[in-house]
Amino acid sequence: MDDVEKAILISFEESGAIDSALKSQAVSFCQQIKETPTVCRICIEKLCFCNIVQVQFWCLQTLHEVIRVKYAMLSLEEKDFIRKSVFSMCCFDLIDDKNNNAVRILEGGPAFIKNKLAQVFVTLVYFEYPLIWSSVFVDFLPHLRKGAVVIDMFCRILNALDDELISLDYPRTPEEMGVAGRVKDAIRQQCIAQIVNVWYEIVSMYRNSDLDLCSNVLESMRRYISWIDIGLIVNDAFIPLLFQLILVGGGSEQLQGAATGCVLAVVSKRMDHQSKLAILQNLQINRVFGLVTGDIDSELVSKVAALITGYAAEVLECYKRVNTEDAKSVSLELLNEVLPSVFYVMQNCEVDTTFSIVQFLSCYVATMKSLSPLREKQLHHVGRMLEVICAQIRYDPIYRDNLDMLDKIGREEEETMVEYRKDLFVLLRSVGRVAPDVTQMFIRNSLVSCISSVSERNVEEVEASLSLLYALGESLSDEAIKTGSGLLSELVPTLVSTRFQCHSNRLVALVYLDTITRYIKFVQEHTEYVPMVLTAFLDERGIHHPNFHVRRRASYLFMRVVKLLKAKLVPFIESILQSLQDTDLKMVATSLRQLVSLIGMEDIPPEKQSDYLSSLLTPLCHQVETLLINANALSPEESPVKIANIQQVIMAINALSKGFSERLVTASRPAIGVMFKKTLDVLLQILVVFPKIEPLRNKVTSFIHRMVDTLGASVFPFLPKALGQLLAESEPKEMVGFLVLLNQLICKFSTSVHDIVEEVFPAIAGRIFSLIPTEPFPSGHGTNSEEIRELQELQKTCYTFFHVITTHDLSSVFLSPKSRDYLDKMMQLLLQSACHHEDILVRKACVQIFIRLIKDWCTRPDVEAKVPGFRSFIIDGFATNCCFYSALEKSFEFHDANTLILFGEIVLAQKVMYEKFGDGFLHFVTNCFTTAHCPQDVAAQYCQKLKEFPPLFSSISAIGSGMQYNPSFRDTN
């Protein structure tokens, strides 16, 4: 073993036994060998005399790389040497037959070495055939007489040629596509007939002695059928041979499968459809139909199934493309012949095969529309199609318990089936449109069969039948459902009145409720079935079902049903509520928003209405009171569960309140308002018992929002207690929610809540200024923490809060004795934000706040402002920094719409200051322009525009734009 061989062995070592430094040296040495000018000769020499597999592979890999990358740089002598050497190796010849130590790669070598040799051979073909090495295939054929070793190598070469160059299954460059076309044209013209003849001779000769070799030959042949003259295969010699191999096979499924693949390639070959139809007819494919009844897990059955499916698809395509009636008749006859086997394959074979069949059947159904009305044969096929669909969508009973409990296995099985059913349901809907009567009759019979069964063991059949009915509904128009088109007038009443023996099963119960909801528009038009629908949802089939998932789904679907049936349910409200008495009211009440909207109608007598609401509210409030009384005794394990229960109750109460208007609660039916006030009082106790539980605070806050809308001003007595509890120990996130609630109150009641806002504002301001930093928020890496984001959100909400106060005539709140301590901090925050905040909309809001405060606190030029020093602050601080200098900053971009709006507010602020401060403000403006080295005439023009009323905004904008883009102004600033 020389150094090269040693280095190659070390470089291939993966066990870890070789020192990494030594391995690195070996790899570097091998790389150096690759870069030597004589590397091709070194590799061929090693291939001639070395039988070490690693060395052989490295040499072949290196040869392949050199030819592929450096072919143009090789000398003619080197190319000739490589060509002859590789050809000799592939033909089982010795390159140096005088040396007794010479080896043959094909002799006992592993398959991957032979495949790599074939790849090197094909790379030469890529560059040299047919222009340089025109006789390569012709020269190779005589060597096949040497027997199985060379035949096997020839198959590998043909396979490699297909993989590396010809097959369109792989992406190709335009250059590769051009070479592939050149190679195929040359083979077709020069030697394909000889190659096909060799294939036939080899298979005929070895069919009884070397089945694997025959299989390999046929596998290679299959690859080439798509682009060679079909007459070379479809003839009186080859086709009978292929069918003999398929039907007899000599005991080898591999050989049968290979022959089947060749026939499928013939069937799938592109050609004129009239010619294709003749070939399909002459194949007599019905000879193989019986083979699909074998072991469904065998490769042969899979390949025969693919042949039958491919054949059926091609016949259908011929039917669509041929023009003569005779040809169409032949196509239809062939389709009628093959379809039973297609249905068998679909029902019994693998999912992949089924998927392709579904695509074929969808095309078949679409094509059969042209035969309206369908003939007897087609109606029979439609019936079989429905049977197969029904069988295919059934769950495997082995997973019944998993699916019912919905454990991990059941969840995975359900997800798989949902995905698998999609195409089948598309097919079902297509069938339903082409043959509606047959489809509805099939589903009816299937449903009747399930109903008549007294066994609980037919879970899968019941679920499948209901799923078919549900899927059918998706293809029907609303009008068809409303009128009960076809058999629907029988199917829907049967559905809503049925109690299956297996109704306790989760899947059956779910699809049953979904299907009723799907056809609820029929019930909307045929109100005699309303009681049946209500019973189905309210008994053990729906919200009383033992399975939680079913109960939850029933509640949701019932909400949809109520929304649609609405007024038709008014006569049944009392019975509905009675049915709900012994159920989980938290779940039910949440889902009955639409029902509550019925209870809230003024058509219902006041006493009945109060009774209905009380029957729902009272148990819920009692649950809260019970949980609050026992709160101190809860263990750490119980607390989360109880808190979750309280949350659910609050959500349920909140949902109940949404059905009642403010006018009804406060004016026409005050007794209803009393009930909600009592409920609010109960829920406010939650803030006392659980003051720091954020989810509960949020839910109670949400209910207070709801009561503000529902109770109107009558909610005022509850606000001090509620606001006090919410404000206590509130964190930034909670403070945001608190301010949003106050904003709602102010927007709804304006000055009516003056005293309430004045009372809580000092505490709010103190809390805000203790949380919000005085300096701008940091920016850059690592500054986008959750805490920073919450503070930023609080600051933003704070600006909105100040804005709402000032724009609703409540600015006097800021001047109360307890609030004055925070006035300076608030003014400085607003001024800083109005000038420099990164959000233009925030700056606009702050400017609007100042405009309103100037209007409220400054009356006339000759009268001192309500707040001492406020006028000076406005002129020296706000007017100077915000109304002039901030507009000169580079961040003030007039091409931005929001910035232009902000500038409009700044102009308006100046107009208001002129109105309130008089000529003193104009004097200030003139000084600002002079300080900025602005021409005197521009300053005079600007002041004149301020005097005009209404303000000519466009003119001032033009002046402002001129200031914005004058470099001297920016430099001065």
Side-chain angles (χ1 to χ4, degrees):
M1 189 184 301
D2 60 20
D3 290 342
V4 174
E5 294 167 358
K6 288 178 182 177
I8 292 172
L9 285 175
I10 293 172
S11 67
F12 276 95
E13 176 59 46
E14 296 293 341
S15 66
I18 300 295
D19 179 70
S20 58
L22 178 61
K23 183 173 180 178
S24 180
Q25 290 177 3
V27 172
S28 298
F29 182 74
C30 291
Q31 188 61 36
Q32 291 173 12
I33 296 295
K34 286 184 178 182
E35 294 170 2
T36 60
T38 59
V39 63
C40 292
R41 289 190 177 274
I42 294 173
C43 290
I44 291 173
E45 181 182 341
K46 294 297 176 189
L47 291 169
C48 288
F49 301 108
C50 182
N51 57 6
I52 301 173
V53 172
Q54 293 92 327
V55 175
Q56 290 178 340
F57 183 83
W58 186 89
C59 291
L60 290 169
Q61 178 66 26
T62 302
L63 272 178
H64 176 250
E65 292 175 3
V66 171
I67 299 170
R68 184 171 56 86
V69 178
K70 301 180 180 180
Y71 179 82
M73 292 181 282
L74 297 174
S75 68
L76 293 175
E77 182 183 358
E78 286 178 301
K79 292 177 183 176
D80 186 61
F81 175 70
I82 295 170
R83 184 186 311 122
K84 289 180 178 178
S85 301
V86 171
F87 187 78
S88 295
M89 285 186 276
C90 290
C91 294
F92 204 49
D93 287 340
L94 290 172
I95 298 174
D96 185 357
D97 54 7
K98 297 176 182 177
N99 194 317
N100 295 329
N101 295 322
V103 298
R104 288 184 173 93
I105 287 182
L106 302 187
E107 194 168 35
F112 70 88
I113 293 294
K114 297 174 185 178
N115 291 338
K116 181 57 70 174
L117 177 59
Q119 189 181 37
V120 173
F121 189 99
V122 167
T123 307
L124 287 170
V125 171
Y126 180 95
F127 288 106
E128 300 189 342
Y129 183 77
L131 301 178
I132 299 172
W133 194 8
S134 60
S135 61
V136 54
F137 295 108
V138 175
D139 291 343
F140 203 110
L141 293 178
H143 292 275
L144 298 178
R145 298 192 187 94
K146 296 176 182 177
V149 173
V150 181
I151 295 171
D152 174 76
M153 191 63 207
F154 186 60
C155 291
R156 293 178 191 275
I157 289 171
L158 293 178
N159 294 346
L161 182 63
D162 183 60
D163 289 335
E164 299 290 322
L165 186 60
I166 295 175
S167 175
L168 296 178
D169 292 338
Y170 308 98
R172 308 289 186 195
T173 66
E175 179 187 351
E176 290 171 336
M177 294 288 286
V179 173
R182 185 186 73 211
V183 169
K184 288 195 293 184
D185 288 343
I187 290 176
R188 277 191 288 246
Q189 183 177 358
Q190 183 192 55
C191 58
I192 191 59
Q194 296 168 263
I195 293 174
V196 172
N197 188 52
V198 165
W199 284 336
Y200 179 82
E201 290 177 356
I202 293 171
V203 174
S204 300
M205 182 183 301
Y206 288 93
R207 59 182 292 189
N208 296 318
S209 58
D210 196 334
L211 303 181
D212 290 342
L213 182 66
C214 291
S215 300
N216 293 340
V217 170
L218 292 176
E219 286 292 346
S220 296
M221 184 177 91
R222 174 188 60 79
R223 295 168 175 250
Y224 287 74
I225 290 175
S226 64
W227 56 270
I228 65 175
D229 179 7
I230 194 62
L232 296 172
I233 306 297
V234 179
N235 51 50
D236 294 338
F238 231 130
I239 290 298
L241 174 61
L242 290 174
F243 274 95
Q244 286 176 24
L245 296 173
I246 294 172
L247 298 172
V248 180
S252 170
E253 284 199 355
Q254 183 182 357
L255 180 57
Q256 290 177 284
T260 303
C262 290
V263 176
L264 177 57
V266 170
V267 167
S268 306
K269 184 173 173 61
R270 293 182 181 179
M271 64 182 80
D272 170 71
H273 289 92
Q274 192 71 45
S275 303
K276 167 72 75 70
L277 183 59
I279 291 175
L280 296 177
Q281 185 178 18
N282 292 331
L283 283 179
Q284 299 177 17
I285 204 76
N286 55 6
R287 291 178 283 176
V288 306
F289 290 169
L291 294 178
V292 293
T293 60
D295 181 4
I296 61 172
D297 294 324
S298 74
E299 186 177 350
L300 173 62
V301 171
S302 177
K303 290 196 172 184
V304 173
L307 171 59
I308 291 173
T309 306
Y311 173 86
E314 293 297 330
V315 172
L316 178 61
E317 193 63 23
C318 288
Y319 175 83
K320 290 157 61 176
R321 303 294 181 187
V322 294
N323 298 318
T324 66
E325 285 302 316
D326 288 344
K328 283 191 175 294
S329 177
V330 170
S331 302
L332 205 55
E333 186 178 335
L334 295 179
L335 276 173
N336 291 334
E337 182 183 53
V338 74
L339 275 171
S341 294
V342 170
F343 295 137
Y344 181 89
V345 168
M346 183 179 176
Q347 196 162 352
N348 295 280
C349 293
E350 292 299 319
V351 172
D352 290 343
T353 307
T354 301
F355 175 77
S356 61
I357 291 177
V358 170
Q359 308 310 306
F360 157 70
L361 291 177
S362 295
C363 293
Y364 172 78
V365 172
T367 306
M368 290 304 105
K369 289 180 183 178
S370 62
L371 289 179
S372 182
L374 296 182
R375 303 167 188 172
E376 184 178 351
K377 271 286 186 184
Q378 280 68 54
L379 290 173
H380 173 74
H381 293 324
V382 165
R384 281 288 294 127
M385 210 178 299
L386 292 168
E387 291 174 11
V388 173
I389 292 172
C390 188
Q392 287 294 103
I393 66 170
R394 284 180 193 160
Y395 283 96
D396 190 330
I398 195 173
Y399 298 113
R400 183 180 299 171
D401 292 339
N402 303 100
L403 287 161
D404 201 33
M405 296 183 295
L406 203 61
D407 57 16
K408 182 180 178 182
I409 295 174
R411 193 172 287 107
E412 290 175 355
E413 181 65 17
E414 186 169 11
E415 289 173 356
T416 301
M417 181 59 84
V418 168
E419 189 63 30
Y420 177 64
R421 284 177 166 183
K422 287 180 181 178
D423 290 303
L424 290 167
F425 284 152
V426 170
L427 176 59
L428 172 71
R429 291 191 286 271
S430 298
V431 173
R433 284 188 285 267
V434 173
D437 295 340
V438 174
T439 305
Q440 292 185 23
M441 180 60 73
F442 176 84
I443 295 175
R444 173 200 172 278
N445 293 340
S446 176
L447 204 57
V448 169
S449 174
C450 291
I451 294 171
S452 63
S453 174
V454 296
S455 171
E456 293 188 12
R457 303 179 62 83
N458 66 336
V459 170
E460 290 72 31
E461 290 83 351
V462 172
E463 195 277 339
S465 295
L466 290 171
S467 295
L468 289 177
L469 181 55
Y470 176 87
L472 177 67
E474 292 184 314
S475 66
L476 300 174
S477 66
D478 287 348
E479 188 60 31
I481 293 177
K482 283 181 181 179
T483 57
S485 172
L487 291 175
L488 289 183
S489 58
E490 177 186 348
L491 278 170
V492 178
T494 301
L495 174 71
V496 298
S497 63
T498 297
R499 296 172 185 264
F500 294 102
Q501 290 294 322
C502 57
H503 227 122
S504 60
N505 180 270
R506 182 185 68 87
L507 284 177
V508 170
L510 287 175
V511 71
Y512 177 77
L513 295 172
D514 277 322
T515 306
I516 289 179
T517 308
R518 168 65 63 189
Y519 290 95
I520 200 64
K521 283 187 169 66
F522 174 85
V523 179
Q524 188 181 22
E525 296 297 316
H526 302 79
T527 55
E528 64 270 24
Y529 300 112
V530 169
M532 294 183 185
V533 170
L534 291 177
T535 303
F537 274 97
L538 297 174
D539 65 16
E540 69 283 354
R541 291 171 290 177
I543 60 175
H544 285 84
H545 196 278
N547 186 284
F548 168 76
H549 299 287
V550 175
R551 294 197 302 273
R552 184 171 62 182
R553 181 67 176 168
S555 299
Y556 167 72
L557 292 175
F558 190 44
M559 179 181 70
R560 290 175 52 188
V561 168
V562 170
K563 182 178 181 180
L564 192 65
L565 298 180
K566 219 150 191 185
K568 295 180 174 61
L569 295 181
V570 171
F572 305 98
I573 290 178
E574 190 166 353
S575 61
I576 292 172
L577 295 177
Q578 288 174 354
S579 300
L580 300 178
Q581 292 302 312
D582 59 342
T583 62
D584 186 347
L585 280 175
K586 297 188 296 297
M587 178 183 295
V588 175
T590 302
S591 68
L592 294 186
R593 293 176 186 173
Q594 298 301 328
L595 180 62
V596 172
S597 69
L598 298 182
I599 298 176
M601 293 172 61
E602 293 195 41
D603 296 343
I604 300 175
E607 298 79 9
K608 286 284 186 184
Q609 194 172 52
S610 296
D611 290 343
Y612 294 157
L613 182 60
S614 178
S615 68
L616 293 171
L617 273 181
T618 302
L620 292 170
C621 289
H622 179 68
Q623 287 186 45
V624 174
E625 290 172 328
T626 303
L627 289 168
L628 293 178
I629 292 171
N630 300 324
N632 293 330
L634 294 178
S635 66
E637 294 78 17
E638 293 175 319
S639 289
V641 177
K642 298 300 182 184
I643 289 171
N645 288 341
I646 294 176
Q647 283 183 256
Q648 291 292 332
V649 173
I650 300 173
M651 290 169 61
I653 293 174
N654 213 348
L656 285 170
S657 68
K658 292 182 180 179
F660 297 87
S661 67
E662 179 181 345
R663 188 184 64 80
L664 182 142
V665 167
T666 59
S668 60
R669 310 262 172 107
I672 301 293
V674 171
M675 275 191 273
F676 280 120
K677 291 176 187 176
K678 290 180 179 178
T679 303
L680 177 59
D681 198 41
V682 170
L683 296 191
L684 288 178
Q685 294 301 313
I686 295 172
L687 298 177
V688 178
V689 178
F690 297 103
K692 296 184 179 181
I693 305 299
E694 182 183 350
L696 291 181
R697 288 172 63 98
N698 292 341
K699 291 293 184 295
V700 173
T701 302
S702 177
F703 184 66
I704 296 172
H705 277 290
R706 185 72 221 137
M707 289 299 97
V708 169
D709 286 335
T710 304
L711 296 175
S714 62
V715 79
F716 284 6
F718 299 90
L719 292 179
K721 176 182 177 181
L723 297 177
Q725 289 294 332
L726 290 173
L727 186 57
E729 302 182 43
S730 56
E731 296 300 321
K733 192 174 181 181
E734 298 161 343
M735 195 69 191
V736 169
F738 179 79
L739 293 179
V740 171
L741 175 60
L742 276 176
N743 288 344
Q744 181 199 17
L745 288 167
I746 295 170
C747 291
K748 184 174 178 66
F749 301 113
S750 193
T751 55
S752 299
V753 291
H754 176 277
D755 293 345
I756 295 173
V757 176
E758 185 176 85
E759 180 66 28
V760 298
F761 183 79
I764 294 171
R767 188 64 181 149
I768 287 173
F769 290 118
S770 69
L771 292 170
I772 296 177
T774 55
E775 298 298 322
F777 289 104
S779 60
H781 180 69
T783 60
N784 192 29
S785 65
E786 182 68 23
E787 181 182 0
I788 295 294
R789 288 197 297 271
E790 288 182 0
L791 289 174
Q792 288 173 329
E793 183 64 24
L794 174 58
Q795 187 189 66
K796 204 174 205 178
T797 311
C798 169
Y799 295 132
T800 304
F801 177 54
F802 292 155
H803 189 275
V804 169
I805 288 178
T806 55
T807 54
H808 287 80
D809 301 318
L810 291 173
S811 63
S812 60
V813 166
F814 301 144
L815 304 180
S816 69
K818 293 182 180 179
S819 300
R820 275 183 179 268
D821 293 341
Y822 302 102
L823 188 58
D824 183 60
K825 289 183 178 179
M826 186 177 78
M827 291 298 107
Q828 294 299 332
L829 174 66
L830 290 172
L831 178 58
Q832 173 71 19
S833 301
C835 296
H836 305 297
H837 200 284
E838 62 181 12
D839 189 336
I840 293 294
L841 296 179
V842 169
R843 292 170 68 173
K844 183 193 76 171
C846 292
V847 172
Q848 290 173 334
I849 292 171
F850 277 119
I851 291 172
R852 194 59 191 246
L853 292 178
I854 294 168
K855 289 181 177 180
D856 289 351
W857 293 351
C858 302
T859 53
R860 298 193 311 273
D862 57 336
V863 178
E864 179 60 37
K866 292 181 182 179
V867 182
F870 179 68
R871 180 178 299 180
S872 299
F873 169 78
I874 289 297
I875 292 179
D876 297 338
F878 174 67
T880 303
N881 297 302
C882 177
C883 296
F884 285 94
Y885 291 136
S886 73
L888 298 177
E889 293 179 355
K890 292 182 179 179
S891 62
F892 211 87
E893 179 53 67
F894 278 92
H895 292 302
D896 176 64
N898 287 330
T899 303
L900 199 61
I901 293 172
L902 169 60
F903 184 69
E905 294 296 334
I906 288 174
V907 172
L908 178 59
Q910 294 179 49
K911 178 66 180 177
V912 171
M913 284 187 282
Y914 168 67
E915 291 174 350
K916 298 297 183 181
F917 303 155
D919 292 338
F921 179 71
L922 295 182
H923 180 68
F924 161 78
V925 171
T926 302
N927 288 340
C928 285
F929 274 70
T930 302
T931 304
H933 303 289
C934 180
Q936 195 67 33
D937 61 327
V938 174
Q941 184 184 1
Y942 192 88
C943 290
Q944 182 61 38
K945 294 300 180 183
L946 282 176
K947 290 180 180 180
E948 295 177 4
F949 188 87
L952 300 180
F953 173 69
S954 60
S955 299
I956 294 178
S957 292
I959 297 172
S961 300
M963 293 173 64
Q964 172 73 18
Y965 292 106
N966 190 323
S968 64
F969 294 163
R970 287 203 184 276
D971 294 342
T972 304
N973 188 43

